[in-house]
Every structure is written in structure tokens, then in C-alpha cells.
Amino acid sequence: MHPVKMFLQYLILFLMLPLCSSTDTITPNQPFRDGDLLVSKESRFALGFFSPRNSTLRYIGVWYNTIREQTVVWVLNRDHPINDTSGVLSINTSGNLLLHRGNTHVWSTDVSISSVNPTVAQLLDTGNLVLIQKDDKMVVWQGFDYPTDNLIPHMKLGLNRRTGYNRFLTSWKSPTDPATGKYSLGFNVSGSPQIFLYQGSEPLWRSGHWNGLRWSGLPVMMYRFQHKVSFLNNQDEIYYMFIMVNASFLERLTVDHEGYIQRNMWQETEGKWFSFYTAPRDRCDRYGRCGPNSNCDNSQAEFECTCLAGFEPKSPRDLFLKDGSAGCLRKEGAKVCGNGEGFVKVGGAKPPDTSVARVNMNISMEACREECLKECSCSGYAAANVSGSGSGCLSWHGDLVDTRVFPEGGQNLYVRVDAITLGMLAFNCQDS
Ligand SMILES: *[C@@H]1O[C@H](CO)[C@@H](O)[C@H](O)[C@H]1NC(C)=O
Ligand SMILES: *[C@@H]1O[C@H](CO)[C@@H](O)[C@H](O)[C@H]1NC(C)=O
Ligand SMILES: *[C@@H]1O[C@H](CO)[C@@H](O)[C@H](O)[C@H]1NC(C)=O
Ligand SMILES: *[C@@H]1O[C@H](CO)[C@@H](O)[C@H](O)[C@H]1NC(C)=O
Ligand SMILES: *[C@@H]1O[C@H](CO)[C@@H](O)[C@H](O)[C@H]1NC(C)=O
Ligand SMILES: *[C@@H]1O[C@H](CO)[C@@H](O)[C@H](O)[C@H]1NC(C)=O
Ligand SMILES: *[C@@H]1O[C@H](CO)[C@@H](O)[C@H](O)[C@H]1NC(C)=O
């Protein structure tokens, strides 16, 4: 080859290099501009500016780098879009990551970095954007603590007890607007922790408590999936997380703008996402579909709401109108305190809302029953942990809210009833 030609080729290659090579890091003297791309070490995720469909606004997002369809799983400035391509993400002299447009401050990490240790921002192969101190590698801020609408493997949904910060997923406003929408998913840690889907502050769905094996409201978890679930509740944190058994499968849990939880799996052969689980999935999945002290049963052809044993409709007219939301009251004159009362078993149940339940993980089912019987205010009990023969105690002292039954995979709930109801059920040879 002619030497000049060769030189020119090398020159072109050299000039192209900075454009082709990608990095996973933003350093203090290397700001990140619209058009730049961070790619994680093993190329699993990318971070860059993007515009949603039908929009010209610019957002910084993280998406899968391995699939054709751009699927944004995390947005840095969802409520602070930039209206042109002049946004810059950089690290300032005090080590914070900030997004600005000219002199206008748009967003920043706002962490106090004590030492004079310089920081860098790095996109990890999990899709997590982290701000780390270069010398001791300490993470001072991470994007996974501020989820958008997607939970991806290794991302924790839940409460950091040390900081009091509770991570929620929040829907996009619409498919073309990543702004904070009205649906959110996260833990209510009262009583026995449960995951709730909320519309604003109103609960739409709940997972049920973690029963040692799975969420009590998700019997589908009996089946084998491509992911493994972990739930942790200790003095430091409460979280739910999933990881893939085989990391080459892509799966994400999304709260969509219409208020549904979707579990999506990437189908490489078809080049699209496939939703294999949706919640709420039926009428009884809707929080409080049947009011207090009733049971929701989808297999009832006529009407899904019935009163629990020993209770009667609060408003018979509503039941006639097929509206069970008013719920049920203890039967008039029923004596449940020191009058030969006992318990009736509701099999295959999703136990009532455990955010108001008392929890004692350390006692047997027999002890749980005794404790409940002794206290006149105790309206029912169930095993906290169904693994093995069942242990631990959940007890309710008031209305039993949002109980339902499943054709399979539910657990036993024991409802306090008066002696007459108990006798009637025994006479009918019912299990009590
Ligand atoms: C984008 O705009 C076009 C034309 O107005 C419309 O037909 C399409 O549904 C829009 N796409 C989305 C995702 O909203
Ligand atoms: C873009 O936003 C800036 C403020 O962030 C504003 O000053 C400017 O007028 C906007 N430009 C357009 C075309 O809307
Ligand atoms: C860097 O950004 C943070 C967060 O906005 C701000 O509190 C801090 O004052 C900035 N530091 C400097 C030196 O500008
Ligand atoms: C993971 O799945 C891919 C695609 O199906 C397969 O080629 C690979 O062997 C699997 N890896 C493991 C460790 O099972
Ligand atoms: C959690 O549940 C408790 C008891 O039902 C309720 O008082 C509280 O408001 C709930 N918290 C949230 C964040 O919904
Ligand atoms: C649970 O019970 C065991 C044995 O009865 C006892 O040693 C242990 O201290 C108890 N734990 C708690 C948290 O009460
Ligand atoms: C639940 O019960 C199983 C089997 O008895 C036990 O191994 C497990 O530690 C229990 N879990 C909790 C959280 O107590």
C-alpha cells in the first residue's frame, strides 16, 4: 500500500477512535453531552439522552444495550426534561453529579461527600448508575435507590431502615411521558410487610404477606420461573428483589400508566417483550372489592362476595344490587367473648390485610390459637410462615379486610365465631 494512503487510513482510524470507543464512566474533567453514550463493561446496559416517542423533550435514561427495541428502564430527570440538546451531565468540584443546561441547574445528586476524595459516575452491568469515590470505591449515590417504573434484577424494592427511605416504583404518566404518574408500587411495612399497588394514596392491590415461601396473594409463585425471588426483613432493611437464574434472559417488573403490574420477558426470537403476569388479575384481586369481614371468591357464579362465617351483610340491599363493598357485621346478638366461641377454618385463603395484624414469628400455631381465643378482641389468626407444618402467628383485632380464596395455593385462615355458628357448622359436618 502507498505510504501516504496508509498514513491517511491510520489518521482516519485515529480520528474515528474517540467516537467508536465507549466508556462506562463519567469523570470530573469529562462531561457527558447529548449524543454521548455510556455502555456498561459487558455491554448489557447503555445510558444516554433520549426522547420518548412523539416527544422532542430530552431525558437521560438507561436501556438494554443488547436488544433492538429501545426499552428505557430508568430515567434520571423524569420530571425535569430538557427542551433541546444542550443538556450536560457532569461532576462538579464537590463531587456531585449534576445535569445542567447552560447555567441552568436541572438536577443533581445532592449528596454531601465528606472527604476530598474525587468521585466518578459509572454505569454498572446491572443497569445501576453509581457515583463512587475513586480511591476507596465507596458508593455515595446510586440510581437503583431512585427507581422509575421498572424493577430489574438486583434492584431492591423496599425500605432502608437506617435512612428511613422507602423505594417505590412509579408509573410513567403516559407511554410518551416519563413524568411521575399516579400509580406506585412499594412496601407498607406495618404489621407483616406487604407490597401495595397504590393510586395516589389509595390501595388498589396488595401482595399479601411473605409466608416463608411466597407472597400469600400470589399462589402463581408455586410454579417455576426464570427468576429467583428474595425477600429480606431484618434490622437494617426490608426488601424484595429478584435475580435471573440464567442472566442471558431479560425480565423486568413494570407498573404501567394504566395501573397494572406487568412482568415482562424478552422474547429474542420474536424481538419483543411478552407480559407473562399481570396484577390485579381478577375481580377479587382488587383491594377491598368485598368490604370488611367478607370473603371474595371468583368461583361463585352469582356474586363473588359472601360474608365470613358468623357475619351478616351490613347492607342487605347492596348485596341484592351485587355491591359487596359495604361488607359484613358480626351477626346480631352473637356472643364471642367467654361464651363457648371458637374458630372456623377458611381454606385456600389470602389472609386479610396484614398491615393491621399483630405478628409473632416465634410461637406455634397451637399457641397462636390459644392467644387469640384468650383475647376477646382477636377476630382471627393465621400462620405467619406456612413452610413445613406452619408456624408463627398473625392475629387480627378488628375487621378482617380484603380476604379472598384461591382454587389452589392459599393458606388457612381461622375466623372467630360464636358458639351457635360453631354448632351449626359442626352440625353441617363442616371443617372447623
Ligand atoms: C404518535 O403520534 C401519532 C400521530 O399523531 C399517533 O398516531 C401515534 O399514536 C402516537 N404514538 C404514541 C405512542 O402516542
Ligand atoms: C427551553 O427551556 C428554557 C428553560 O429551561 C427556556 O428558557 C427556553 O425558553 C425553552 N425553549 C423553548 C424553545 O421552549
Ligand atoms: C455541586 O453540586 C451540589 C449539588 O447541586 C451543590 O450543593 C454544590 O454546592 C456544588 N458544588 C460546587 C462547588 O459548586
Ligand atoms: C442460558 O441461556 C442461554 C440461551 O438459552 C443458553 O445458551 C446458555 O447455555 C444458558 N446458560 C446457562 C448457564 O444455563
Ligand atoms: C400502612 O398501613 C397502615 C395500617 O393499615 C396505615 O395506617 C398506613 O397509612 C399505611 N401506610 C401507607 C404508606 O399506606
Ligand atoms: C424464640 O423462642 C426460642 C425458644 O423458645 C427462644 O430461645 C428465642 O429467644 C425466641 N426468640 C425471640 C425473638 O423471642
Ligand atoms: C419458616 O419455617 C421454616 C420451616 O419450619 C424455617 O426453616 C424458616 O426459617 C421459617 N422462616 C421464618 C422467617 O421464620
Side-chain angles (χ1 to χ4, degrees):
M1 199 184 284
H2 194 278
V4 174
K5 215 171 161 189
M6 211 159 118
F7 170 78
L8 280 176
Q9 272 193 352
Y10 274 117
L11 185 68
I12 288 165
L13 252 178
F14 177 77
L15 288 174
M16 277 172 61
L17 258 175
L19 293 175
C20 299
S21 75
S22 61
T23 170
D24 63 353
T25 308
I26 301 172
T27 60
N29 43 24
Q30 214 172 21
F32 182 85
R33 297 171 198 287
D34 198 321
D36 293 347
L37 204 64
L38 287 190
V39 175
S40 67
K41 198 167 277 158
E42 285 174 23
S43 297
R44 297 178 67 84
F45 285 95
L47 177 146
F49 283 84
F50 76 100
S51 289
R53 267 179 304 165
N54 287 4
S55 169
T56 55
L57 297 174
R58 304 297 285 166
Y59 298 87
I60 291 180
V62 170
W63 57 84
Y64 298 94
N65 192 48
T66 50
I67 60 176
R68 290 182 294 280
E69 186 183 321
Q70 189 185 58
T71 308
V72 174
V73 292
W74 184 81
V75 182
L76 176 137
N77 56 325
R78 66 187 309 185
D79 292 309
H80 306 283
I82 290 177
N83 58 14
D84 59 20
T85 56
S86 63
V88 178
L89 190 61
S90 62
I91 290 173
N92 77 359
T93 49
S94 56
N96 271 283
L97 185 63
L98 49 122
L99 175 61
H100 51 99
R101 177 183 180 277
N103 289 326
T104 314
H105 169 271
V106 178
W107 172 94
S108 67
T109 49
D110 276 329
V111 282
S112 56
I113 296 149
S114 47
S115 60
V116 284
N117 206 332
T119 56
V120 296
Q122 188 179 14
L123 179 66
L124 305 181
D125 267 313
T126 52
N128 195 4
L129 176 68
V130 294
L131 186 64
I132 46 177
Q133 295 185 156
K134 237 177 132 186
D135 299 344
D136 58 8
K137 299 275 178 259
M138 199 176 101
V139 175
V140 292
W141 179 91
Q142 56 173 339
F144 270 15
D145 278 341
Y146 304 91
T148 308
D149 62 334
N150 274 279
L151 192 76
I152 57 177
H154 303 285
M155 201 177 206
K156 292 173 180 177
L157 187 71
L159 176 74
N160 179 334
R161 289 194 198 262
R162 279 163 292 154
T163 60
Y165 183 70
N166 198 358
R167 306 175 205 87
F168 273 77
L169 299 183
T170 313
S171 65
W172 283 29
K173 237 180 190 155
S174 78
T176 57
D177 185 356
T180 302
K182 45 181 181 190
Y183 301 101
S184 61
L185 187 75
F187 274 97
N188 182 322
V189 301
S190 297
S192 188
Q194 303 170 101
I195 297 175
F196 276 82
L197 173 68
Y198 293 100
Q199 175 172 5
S201 59
E202 181 199 337
L204 296 181
W205 174 90
R206 67 180 175 97
S207 63
H209 77 289
W210 182 263
N211 67 17
L213 299 175
R214 55 181 175 265
W215 299 110
S216 66
L218 285 169
V220 65
M221 289 173 74
M222 294 191 295
Y223 303 109
R224 268 168 54 94
F225 286 106
Q226 298 292 350
H227 64 252
K228 276 200 301 213
V229 165
S230 52
F231 167 71
L232 186 79
N233 181 1
N234 65 18
Q235 63 277 15
D236 294 328
E237 52 185 345
I238 296 180
Y239 71 74
Y240 162 78
M241 185 177 86
F242 70 95
I243 57 169
M244 301 312 290
V245 176
N246 178 336
S248 66
F249 288 97
L250 305 182
E251 190 183 309
R252 62 199 170 91
L253 188 150
T254 311
V255 179
D256 72 19
H257 72 284
E258 289 174 314
Y260 287 94
I261 304 163
Q262 308 278 0
R263 261 196 184 278
N264 294 296
M265 176 77 91
W266 178 253
Q267 300 285 85
E268 187 54 45
T269 46
E270 290 167 46
K272 62 178 185 197
W273 291 97
F274 162 72
S275 171
F276 65 93
Y277 188 82
T278 302
R281 66 187 289 111
D282 57 36
R283 293 174 299 181
C284 291
D285 243 8
R286 295 259 159 213
Y287 185 86
R289 166 90 190 181
C290 304
N293 308 310
S294 46
N295 176 26
C296 195
D297 183 354
N298 275 312
S299 69
Q300 297 289 321
E302 272 292 292
F303 183 42
E304 67 272 18
C305 301
T306 53
C307 288
L308 288 168
F311 291 84
E312 59 193 7
K314 186 172 180 188
S315 163
R317 188 174 159 273
D318 285 352
L319 283 189
F320 177 71
L321 294 172
K322 304 227 184 307
D323 173 5
S325 60
C328 308
L329 295 171
R330 180 77 63 196
K331 277 183 180 156
E332 215 177 315
K335 296 190 174 66
V336 290
C337 188
N339 273 286
E341 65 275 7
F343 297 97
V344 164
K345 183 174 95 181
V346 180
K350 172 184 182 179
D353 190 344
T354 58
S355 64
V356 290
R358 286 190 202 161
V359 187
N360 185 345
M361 292 307 291
N362 215 20
I363 62 174
S364 68
M365 284 306 286
E366 293 74 41
C368 184
R369 181 193 173 91
E370 275 169 39
E371 294 270 313
C372 187
L373 194 59
K374 264 196 300 203
E375 278 196 68
C376 292
S377 69
C378 184
S379 45
Y381 71 93
N385 181 356
V386 301
S387 175
S389 55
S391 64
C393 186
L394 294 174
S395 64
W396 289 266
H397 300 257
D399 287 335
L400 301 171
V401 172
D402 196 43
T403 308
R404 67 167 298 180
V405 289
F406 296 112
E408 59 171 341
Q411 72 176 91
N412 294 334
L413 166 70
Y414 297 90
V415 178
R416 186 188 203 95
V417 295
D418 60 292
I420 297 169
T421 305
L422 204 57
M424 272 165 34
L425 291 173
F427 184 75
N428 288 336
C429 305
Q430 290 235 349
D431 197 354
S432 66

